[in-house]
Amino acid sequence: MSGFDDLWYRSDDGLTLYARDYAGPDGDAPVALCMHGLTRNAADFAGLAPHLAQRYRVLVADQRGRGRSDYDPDPTRYQPLTYVQDMFRLLDSQAIPCAVLVGTSMGGLMAMLMAAMQPARVSAIVLNDIGPEVDPAGLARIKAYVGKAEPVADWAAAVAQTRAINGAAFPDFSPEDWLHFARGLYRPRAQGGGLELAYDPAISTPLTAADENAVPPDLWPVFGALSALPVLVLRGAHSDILSAAGLAAMRARKPDLVVAEIANRGHAPTLDEPDARAAIDAFLAMPA
């Protein structure tokens, strides 16, 4: 048994998009919406979602261009504001007025934007290794590999490629952990045999098209819009995306920010670590 139902819906611009729908304990359960990072998909939450479904109905979206969702014929639409509109469309399609948002990396940026745009629709946010400032070192690392990986022949090669890109973030992973991780990232190719990453290489277009010297958008006003909202931030202890200084600046601006640092993790914790799971459970159990 998968533990979830397949949910299909249409975007405002006509794409068919996909989400996993974990029913929750009953029909009146509150909703949690989980949003993955740039190159990832709904498989990232295969561990956390069933756990949350003990209390919540959990929706885990494949953003456009990832997983089972349609690829966008216009790559310039691969950017957070488009994804945010897709997420509101998903909630609207299910008549969901309000949700807890759980976002990893890009998904966390989306969560902040959603709360700033429609604050009444967000009850709490879990930000996984992301904030309003992105460390330039981590951004450069991501730009270096997104959309550039070639298909591989078999799972051993997929594991090797996955480990080469992500090894520093998970220094204690076992061979079994790496295989599980790779199986969430790769899928059989439709033609030609072998395996490919489960995303459209064109998601890199907005990254590579941007002026390398351009100033990133100032997201501090977006973060400021979360002042009245319960927010948990999880940070990988050696993250190259959310720096210690960046996290300290977030705490200075939002003194009630709840923070958990996850040992032996870079960018980004899987949210299956015991410390991450305990932090999420404690945060969601806090009185509103």
Side-chain angles (χ1 to χ4, degrees), residues 77-118:
R77 291 197 289 250
Y78 285 138
Q79 48 94 6
L81 285 175
T82 307
Y83 307 141
V84 163
Q85 291 303 322
D86 291 342
M87 295 301 94
F88 285 134
R89 182 77 168 191
L90 170 58
L91 295 177
D92 289 345
S93 76
Q94 299 299 301
I96 295 169
C98 185
V100 171
L101 305 182
V102 181
T104 294
S105 194
M106 180 188 79
L109 297 178
M110 292 165 56
M112 289 190 285
L113 288 167
M114 290 176 71
M117 293 168 67
Q118 297 190 31

Side-chain angles (χ1 to χ4, degrees), residues 137-196:
L139 185 59
R141 175 181 59 80
I142 290 170
K143 286 182 177 181
Y145 73 78
V146 174
K148 298 174 183 176
E150 295 293 329
V152 295
D154 53 29
W155 284 109
V159 167
Q161 195 170 82
T162 300
R163 190 167 189 168
I165 292 172
N166 300 282
F170 306 101
D172 58 353
F173 262 23
S174 68
E176 293 75 20
D177 290 330
W178 283 116
L179 178 59
H180 175 76
F181 196 69
R183 287 190 179 277
L185 298 176
Y186 287 81
R187 62 186 172 199
R189 298 179 70 193
Q191 296 179 337
L195 305 165
E196 64 182 2

